[in-house]
Coordinates of all heavy atoms in Angstrom, one line a residue:
Q122 N 100.7 126.3 98.2 CA 101.0 125.0 98.7 C 102.3 124.4 98.1 O 102.8 123.4 98.6 CB 99.9 124.1 98.5 CG 98.6 124.5 99.2 CD 97.4 123.6 98.8 OE1 97.5 122.8 97.9 NE2 96.3 123.8 99.5
L123 N 102.8 125.0 97.0 CA 103.9 124.4 96.3 C 105.3 125.0 96.8 O 105.4 126.1 97.2 CB 103.8 124.7 94.8 CG 102.7 124.0 94.1 CD1 102.7 124.4 92.6 CD2 102.7 122.5 94.2
P124 N 106.3 124.2 96.7 CA 107.7 124.6 97.1 C 108.4 125.5 96.1 O 109.3 126.2 96.4 CB 108.5 123.4 97.4 CG 107.8 122.4 96.5 CD 106.3 122.7 96.4
S125 N 107.9 125.4 94.8 CA 108.5 126.1 93.7 C 107.6 126.3 92.5 O 106.5 125.6 92.5 CB 109.8 125.4 93.3 OG 109.5 124.2 92.8
Y126 N 108.0 127.1 91.6 CA 107.2 127.4 90.4 C 107.1 126.1 89.6 O 108.2 125.5 89.3 CB 107.8 128.6 89.7 CG 107.1 129.0 88.4 CD1 105.8 129.4 88.4 CD2 107.8 129.1 87.2 CE1 105.2 129.8 87.2 CE2 107.2 129.5 86.0 CZ 105.9 129.8 86.0 OH 105.3 130.2 84.9
P127 N 106.0 125.7 89.1 CA 105.8 124.4 88.4 C 106.7 124.3 87.1 O 107.1 123.2 86.8 CB 104.4 124.3 88.1 CG 103.7 125.2 89.1 CD 104.6 126.3 89.4
E128 N 106.8 125.4 86.4 CA 107.6 125.4 85.2 C 109.1 125.6 85.3 O 109.8 125.4 84.4 CB 107.1 126.5 84.2 CG 105.8 126.1 83.5 CD 104.6 126.0 84.4 OE1 104.4 126.9 85.3 OE2 103.8 125.1 84.2
N129 N 109.5 125.9 86.5 CA 110.9 126.1 86.8 C 111.2 126.0 88.3 O 111.0 126.9 89.1 CB 111.4 127.6 86.3 CG 112.8 127.8 86.5 OD1 113.6 127.1 87.2 ND2 113.3 128.8 85.8
G130 N 111.7 124.8 88.6 CA 111.9 124.5 90.0 C 113.0 125.3 90.7 O 113.1 125.3 92.0
T131 N 113.8 126.1 90.0 CA 114.8 126.9 90.6 C 114.1 128.2 91.2 O 114.8 128.9 92.0 CB 115.9 127.3 89.6 OG1 115.3 128.1 88.6 CG2 116.6 126.1 89.1
I132 N 112.9 128.5 90.8 CA 112.2 129.6 91.4 C 111.4 129.1 92.6 O 110.4 128.5 92.4 CB 111.2 130.3 90.3 CG1 112.0 130.8 89.1 CG2 110.5 131.4 91.0 CD1 111.2 131.2 88.0
K133 N 111.9 129.4 93.8 CA 111.3 128.9 95.0 C 110.2 129.7 95.5 O 110.2 130.9 95.4 CB 112.4 128.8 96.1 CG 113.6 127.9 95.7 CD 113.2 126.5 95.5 CE 114.4 125.7 95.1 NZ 114.0 124.4 94.6
F134 N 109.2 129.0 96.1 CA 108.0 129.7 96.7 C 108.2 129.4 98.2 O 108.6 128.3 98.6 CB 106.7 129.1 96.2 CG 106.3 129.4 94.8 CD1 105.4 128.6 94.2 CD2 106.8 130.5 94.2 CE1 105.0 128.9 92.9 CE2 106.4 130.8 92.9 CZ 105.5 130.0 92.2
D135 N 107.8 130.4 99.0 CA 107.8 130.2 100.4 C 106.6 131.1 101.0 O 106.8 132.0 101.7 CB 109.1 130.7 101.1 CG 109.1 130.4 102.5 OD1 108.4 129.5 103.0 OD2 109.9 131.0 103.3
Y136 N 105.4 130.7 100.6 CA 104.2 131.5 101.0 C 103.5 130.9 102.2 O 103.6 131.4 103.3 CB 103.2 131.6 99.8 CG 103.8 132.4 98.6 CD1 104.1 131.8 97.4 CD2 104.0 133.7 98.8 CE1 104.6 132.5 96.4 CE2 104.5 134.5 97.7 CZ 104.8 133.9 96.5 OH 105.4 134.6 95.5
H137 N 102.9 129.8 102.0 CA 102.2 129.0 103.2 C 101.3 129.9 104.0 O 101.3 129.8 105.2 CB 103.3 128.4 104.0 CG 104.3 127.6 103.3 ND1 104.0 126.4 102.6 CD2 105.6 127.8 103.1 CE1 105.1 126.0 102.0 NE2 106.1 126.8 102.3
F138 N 100.5 130.7 103.3 CA 99.5 131.5 104.0 C 98.3 130.6 104.4 O 98.1 129.5 103.8 CB 99.0 132.6 103.2 CG 100.0 133.7 102.9 CD1 100.6 133.8 101.6 CD2 100.4 134.5 103.9 CE1 101.6 134.7 101.4 CE2 101.4 135.5 103.7 CZ 102.0 135.6 102.4
V139 N 97.5 131.0 105.4 CA 96.3 130.2 105.8 C 95.1 130.7 105.0 O 94.3 131.5 105.4 CB 96.1 130.3 107.3 CG1 94.9 129.4 107.7 CG2 97.3 129.9 108.1
I140 N 95.1 130.2 103.7 CA 93.9 130.6 102.8 C 92.9 129.5 103.1 O 93.0 128.4 102.8 CB 94.4 130.6 101.4 CG1 95.5 131.6 101.1 CG2 93.2 130.9 100.5 CD1 96.1 131.6 99.8
R141 N 91.8 130.0 103.7 CA 90.7 129.0 104.1 C 89.7 128.7 103.0 O 89.2 127.7 102.9 CB 90.0 129.6 105.3 CG 90.8 129.5 106.5 CD 90.0 129.8 107.7 NE 90.7 129.5 109.0 CZ 90.1 129.6 110.1 NH1 88.8 129.9 110.2 NH2 90.8 129.3 111.2
S142 N 89.5 129.8 102.1 CA 88.5 129.6 101.1 C 88.7 130.4 99.9 O 89.4 131.5 100.0 CB 87.1 129.9 101.7 OG 87.0 131.2 102.1
I143 N 88.2 129.9 98.8 CA 88.3 130.7 97.5 C 86.9 130.7 96.9 O 86.1 129.7 97.0 CB 89.4 130.3 96.5 CG1 89.2 128.8 96.1 CG2 90.7 130.5 97.1 CD1 90.2 128.4 95.1
I144 N 86.6 131.8 96.3 CA 85.3 131.9 95.6 C 85.6 132.4 94.1 O 86.3 133.3 93.9 CB 84.4 133.0 96.2 CG1 84.1 132.6 97.7 CG2 83.1 133.2 95.5 CD1 83.4 133.6 98.5
S145 N 85.1 131.6 93.2 CA 85.2 131.9 91.8 C 83.9 132.3 91.2 O 82.9 131.5 91.2 CB 85.8 130.6 91.1 OG 85.9 130.8 89.7
I146 N 83.9 133.5 90.6 CA 82.6 134.0 90.0 C 82.8 134.0 88.5 O 83.7 134.7 88.0 CB 82.3 135.4 90.5 CG1 82.3 135.5 92.1 CG2 81.1 136.0 89.9 CD1 82.3 136.8 92.7
A147 N 82.1 133.2 87.8 CA 82.2 133.0 86.4 C 83.6 132.8 86.0 O 84.2 133.4 85.1 CB 81.6 134.2 85.6
G148 N 84.3 131.9 86.7 CA 85.7 131.8 86.6 C 86.1 130.9 85.4 O 85.4 130.0 85.0
T149 N 87.2 131.3 84.8 CA 87.8 130.5 83.7 C 88.6 129.3 84.4 O 88.8 129.3 85.6 CB 88.8 131.3 82.8 OG1 89.8 131.8 83.6 CG2 88.0 132.5 82.2
D150 N 88.9 128.4 83.6 CA 89.7 127.2 84.1 C 90.5 126.7 82.9 O 90.1 126.7 81.8 CB 88.8 126.2 84.7 CG 89.7 125.1 85.3 OD1 90.5 125.4 86.3 OD2 89.6 123.9 84.9
S151 N 91.7 126.2 83.2 CA 92.6 125.6 82.3 C 93.2 126.5 81.2 O 93.7 126.0 80.2 CB 91.9 124.4 81.6 OG 91.5 123.4 82.6
Q152 N 93.0 127.8 81.3 CA 93.8 128.7 80.4 C 95.3 128.6 80.7 O 96.1 128.8 79.9 CB 93.3 130.1 80.6 CG 91.9 130.3 80.0 CD 91.5 131.8 80.0 OE1 92.2 132.7 80.5 NE2 90.4 132.1 79.4
Y153 N 95.6 128.2 82.0 CA 96.9 127.9 82.4 C 96.9 126.6 83.1 O 96.1 126.3 83.9 CB 97.4 129.0 83.4 CG 98.6 128.6 84.2 CD1 99.9 128.4 83.5 CD2 98.6 128.4 85.5 CE1 101.0 128.0 84.2 CE2 99.7 128.1 86.3 CZ 100.9 127.9 85.6 OH 102.0 127.5 86.3
K154 N 97.8 125.7 82.7 CA 98.0 124.4 83.3 C 99.4 124.3 83.9 O 100.4 124.2 83.1 CB 97.8 123.3 82.2 CG 96.3 123.2 81.7 CD 96.2 122.1 80.7 CE 94.7 122.1 80.2 NZ 94.5 121.0 79.3
P155 N 99.5 124.3 85.2 CA 100.8 124.3 85.8 C 101.6 123.0 85.5 O 101.0 121.9 85.7 CB 100.5 124.3 87.3 CG 99.1 124.7 87.4 CD 98.4 124.4 86.2
A156 N 102.7 123.1 84.8 CA 103.5 122.0 84.4 C 102.7 121.1 83.5 O 102.9 119.9 83.5 CB 104.1 121.3 85.5
G157 N 101.8 121.7 82.7 CA 100.9 120.9 81.8 C 99.8 120.1 82.5 O 99.1 119.3 81.8
Q158 N 99.6 120.3 83.8 CA 98.6 119.6 84.5 C 97.4 120.5 84.9 O 97.6 121.7 84.9 CB 99.2 119.0 85.8 CG 100.4 118.1 85.6 CD 100.1 116.9 84.8 OE1 99.1 116.2 85.1 NE2 100.8 116.6 83.8
L159 N 96.3 119.9 85.2 CA 95.1 120.7 85.7 C 95.5 121.3 87.1 O 96.3 120.7 87.8 CB 93.9 119.9 85.7 CG 93.3 119.3 84.4 CD1 92.2 118.4 84.7 CD2 92.9 120.5 83.5

């Protein structure tokens, strides 16, 4: 959903796939924080 990489805005993203759902099985969270955010 983002236009660019959160840590470096010069790295552009152009994905925009129709991802309808995600399933997390015993998923980790916050090991990575995009631009320091959740």
Side-chain angles (χ1 to χ4, degrees):
Q122 299 172 351
L123 294 179
S125 61
Y126 182 55
E128 280 70 41
N129 183 343
T131 64
I132 301 172
K133 301 299 180 192
F134 288 160
D135 188 20
Y136 294 112
H137 310 292
F138 294 107
V139 184
I140 300 172
R141 289 190 170 188
S142 62
I143 59 175
I144 299 170
S145 176
I146 304 167
T149 61
D150 185 59
S151 300
Q152 288 188 354
Y153 164 64
K154 293 182 180 179
Q158 304 297 311
L159 295 174

